[in-house]
Amino acid sequence: MLCENSMPVGWAVGNRVGFARAIRQPLRVTKAKGKPPMTQAYYSAVLDRPLNEVWSLIRDFNNYPAYIDGVSESEIEDDKRGDEVGAIRRFCYLGNWIRQSLVDHSDRQHTLTYAGLEALPYPQDDGSQTPAPTRYQGTMHLRPIIEGDRTLIEWSVALDTEPADADRWQALFASWIPDWTDSLARTLARSS
């Protein structure tokens, strides 16, 4: 279902800006006993803002529209709080409704983990064979950088894909996560 001012699923995410320094990591694949390997997209960056400031912006699971370009609205279902494990957010991202559940949240560790509730379809592309939808789980983890009172953000997404589709899904998320991180950095820069 498309939301107001919707765009087709073949959307692109905005341009990158220089607020975050990237440390690119290679493709990570993990294997749980008896299951096919999971593909992981990972990105880390240094944000030029104190950890507490960054955490106060992202800790509320429902605050996505405040720092992710392209998210026009978000709501938490069933009157749960935005920091309550089990909360489900429904948000409109570039014209598409997405539902995710908060599966872990720690103010002490400055981390939150969310899982997609429906398999995510691959965006329309050049017309070649489209990969099968994927299930995913993402984690945002903040760490303090003492020098300069800055923050290291680590953002990873584990993807449960068909083996033949793993590389394409990993490359897609490896391009999206830096864009989302840059959006967060731009929001923080505007607030200073």
Side-chain angles (χ1 to χ4, degrees), residues 5 13 17 23 30 52 68 96 102 116 128 142 172 181 188:
N5 300 322
V13 179
V17 297
I23 304 168
T30 58
N52 288 336
I68 297 295
N96 299 284
L102 184 62
S128 61
L142 304 180
L172 185 63
T181 304
L188 291 163

Side-chain angles (χ1 to χ4, degrees), residues 125-145:
D125 58 6
D126 61 7
S128 61
Q129 186 173 356
T130 302
T134 188
R135 299 219 172 262
Y136 62 95
Q137 180 170 299
T139 298
M140 299 169 71
H141 185 194
L142 304 180
R143 297 175 191 265
I145 297 176

Side-chain angles (χ1 to χ4, degrees), residues 7 20 24 37 42 54 64 67 74 83 88 100 105 126 134 143 174-175:
M7 297 174 63
R24 295 218 182 252
Y42 173 86
V54 179
Y64 228 33
Y67 65 91
S74 179
D83 62 353
I88 295 172
Q100 297 173 337
H105 186 282
D126 61 7
T134 188
R143 297 175 191 265
S175 72

Side-chain angles (χ1 to χ4, degrees), residues 101-123:
S101 175
L102 184 62
V103 296
D104 188 41
H105 186 282
S106 173
D107 285 323
R108 191 170 144 259
Q109 297 294 320
H110 301 102
T111 187
L112 65 85
T113 299
Y114 57 90
L117 294 177
E118 293 102 16
L120 187 66
Y122 196 84

